Amino acid sequence: MTDLFTPLQSLKQGHWFKLICGASFQHLPAVRSLTLAYTLAGADCIDVAADPAVITAAQEALAVARNLAVDAQQRGFAFKGNLPFLMVSLNDGEDPHFRKAEFNPTDCPPDCPRPCERICPAQAIVFDSIKDNYSGVVEQKCYGCGRCIPICPYDIIYTSSYMSTPGAIAPLVMSTGVDAVEIHTQVGRFTEFQRLWQAISPWIDKLKLVAISCPDGEGMIDYLQALYDLMHPRPHALIWQTDGRPMSGDIGDGTTLAAVKLGQKVLAAQLPGYVQLAGGTNSYTVAKLKAMGMLKRAGEEDKGRRGNKDAGNIFSNSLTASERLPLSSSAIAGVAYGSYARVLLSPILAQLETQEVSKTSVKATTRLEEDDILLWQAVELAHSLVSQLKSQQER
């Protein structure tokens, strides 16, 4: 049972790494490859869409990763077969993470320079695709970043949003065997959050972790405190995910400032649980956290307001779920990477998608583990990001 708690140990020690595949991202081959590469690189959590097919793809990758543990160690990677948590994302209302871009390609003038195609980080917009004889948005690849909307010269791109259905959530989560859930909410949606929480609360004790993702807003801290007071039963472990600048990490170094600033705000509130950055995170994030003294040093203990010496001991079986929640300190517990982590591996994913897998030259997707060279190239790229955070504890 020890390996089940390895991700929680990462949270406690302050080097938790989460890969965000995307709450709306449903391209199964990419989800599978991203999950495999980042698992072998040492990720603690893989966050995917609450879609049974997507969950299955991620679980297949986790099974493959376990079988490659020895090979990974021989190549110098730290993965020892202790699998990351598999998390699904839910929402209590309209949210940019839960939408898709749409447009009718027949409305596009022939002389349009197609800036939408160039700017899409997911390569989800195509025109005259030879492979599929298709033009428009590839729905499975789009994760709703919205960058194509303002750049369209003819203003014909729009988005369609969807919401989690509370009644369908609990059976989905429990039947697929996921380890954790993340709830995307916003200030002012207490009633909606309450409705969603009531739907999943009977199964909270069976989940290893619950994360609450919320962007900044007036009254945010009071709102998060109200959510915490609502949470009964308490989750075994709780993360406050500070969504600084959603889906922007691949744009540039400036985006990480929003994530760090919001992290500081939530840390200062000393809410029970862990604080984890997201939204604008990239290769600059860890360096910024180090410079500001916001990463926990190896061996540093959690300190908080509660006097119980076991307050931060998430492994004590004698504690209730409420008592197991540690108090926030001045240190970030971890970082979640979304768009930047995906774009980092996009050259590998593109090669896989266009490889010939039959003598008849029919194009199809090769599974990452079937190409030994691309597999370890992908893991090396993933490790270049994961190791920035993990190296804090290796010194």
Side-chain angles (χ1 to χ4, degrees):
M1 293 293 290
T2 304
D3 63 326
L4 294 177
F5 297 102
T6 299
L8 293 182
Q9 189 65 38
S10 293
L11 268 178
K12 187 177 181 181
Q13 294 174 350
H15 58 93
W16 162 273
F17 181 103
K18 184 175 88 168
L19 167 69
I20 303 173
C21 285
S24 295
F25 192 58
Q26 297 166 297
H27 190 245
L28 302 184
V31 169
R32 194 180 189 281
S33 296
L34 288 165
T35 300
L36 177 56
Y38 278 95
T39 296
L40 291 173
D44 297 295
C45 183
I46 308 294
D47 184 4
V48 302
D51 178 319
V54 173
I55 294 170
T56 297
Q59 288 172 329
E60 288 177 358
L62 293 177
V64 172
R66 188 188 288 275
N67 292 331
L68 290 171
V70 174
D71 201 356
Q73 292 173 59
Q74 292 175 345
R75 292 172 180 268
F77 300 108
F79 179 69
K80 296 180 175 61
N82 299 322
L83 297 179
F85 288 167
L86 182 58
M87 172 184 284
V88 295
S89 286
L90 312 173
N91 59 322
D92 63 8
E94 188 168 336
D95 187 283
H97 297 88
F98 297 79
R99 66 182 184 181
K100 302 278 190 182
E102 295 183 12
F103 69 92
N104 185 346
T106 61
D107 293 337
C108 299
D111 59 348
C112 179
R114 301 174 179 175
C116 59
E117 185 178 24
R118 294 193 301 273
I119 202 171
C120 179
Q123 300 176 345
I125 297 178
V126 298
F127 289 91
D128 304 318
S129 169
I130 298 176
K131 177 182 176 182
D132 303 308
N133 190 27
Y134 176 77
S135 294
V137 177
V138 182
E139 182 180 359
Q140 293 82 1
K141 289 186 176 182
C142 178
Y143 56 80
C145 71
R147 296 178 207 174
C148 57
I149 298 173
I151 205 171
C152 175
Y154 301 96
D155 196 29
I156 62 172
I157 304 178
Y158 59 98
T159 61
S160 59
S161 301
Y162 63 93
M163 289 175 46
S164 305
T165 304
I169 289 168
L172 168 67
V173 170
M174 298 316 301
S175 66
T176 53
V178 300
D179 303 297
V181 297
E182 176 173 293
I183 301 174
H184 289 256
T185 188
Q186 294 181 22
V187 177
R189 292 217 294 245
F190 182 83
T191 300
E192 292 85 349
F193 182 94
Q194 184 178 37
R195 187 181 304 118
L196 181 56
W197 186 262
Q198 289 174 344
I200 66 175
S201 61
W203 291 274
I204 289 298
D205 197 48
K206 296 182 180 180
L207 296 171
K208 301 181 182 73
L209 173 71
V210 172
I212 306 298
S213 180
C214 186
D216 201 1
E218 185 177 354
M220 176 192 185
I221 299 302
D222 290 339
Y223 179 65
L224 296 183
Q225 182 64 58
L227 297 186
Y228 176 76
D229 294 339
L230 169 68
M231 293 180 205
H232 293 286
R234 301 284 194 215
H236 289 285
L238 175 64
I239 286 177
W240 302 105
Q241 177 167 291
T242 59
D243 198 4
R245 188 174 169 185
M247 297 178 285
S248 66
D250 59 313
I251 294 177
D253 59 338
T255 63
T256 203
L257 298 177
V260 173
K261 183 178 179 179
L262 187 52
Q264 284 180 303
K265 180 177 179 177
V266 178
L267 280 174
Q270 287 283 292
L271 295 167
Y274 300 98
V275 178
Q276 172 226 277
L277 300 189
T281 54
N282 50 37
S283 62
Y284 299 93
T285 303
V286 171
K288 186 66 175 177
L289 291 173
K290 288 179 180 178
M292 299 180 68
M294 292 175 64
L295 283 180
K296 190 179 298 183
R297 298 191 184 105
E300 183 181 348
E301 292 297 324
D302 287 318
K303 295 179 181 179
R305 294 170 296 177
R306 193 183 296 133
N308 184 345
K309 66 177 181 176
D310 290 324
N313 182 4
I314 55 178
F315 304 105
S316 174
N317 293 326
S318 64
L319 300 177
T320 65
S322 178
E323 292 170 329
R324 283 196 293 268
L325 291 177
L327 293 173
S328 297
S329 66
S330 60
I332 293 294
V335 182
Y337 298 86
S339 56
Y340 181 82
R342 297 189 296 267
V343 170
L344 188 63
L345 264 62
S346 60
I348 303 292
L349 303 185
Q351 288 186 65
L352 284 173
E353 192 168 359
T354 58
Q355 277 188 358
E356 291 185 4
V357 294
S358 73
K359 293 181 180 179
T360 58
S361 298
V362 175
K363 300 290 184 179
T365 302
T366 303
R367 290 182 172 182
L368 184 57
E369 69 272 18
E370 295 171 354
D371 189 315
D372 201 55
I373 294 177
L374 288 182
L375 168 64
W376 298 110
Q377 285 179 353
V379 177
E380 186 66 46
L381 284 171
H383 184 260
S384 70
L385 186 59
V386 176
S387 62
Q388 291 183 21
L389 193 58
K390 297 295 185 181
S391 63
Q392 280 291 104
Q393 300 296 315
E394 295 171 358
R395 296 174 181 174

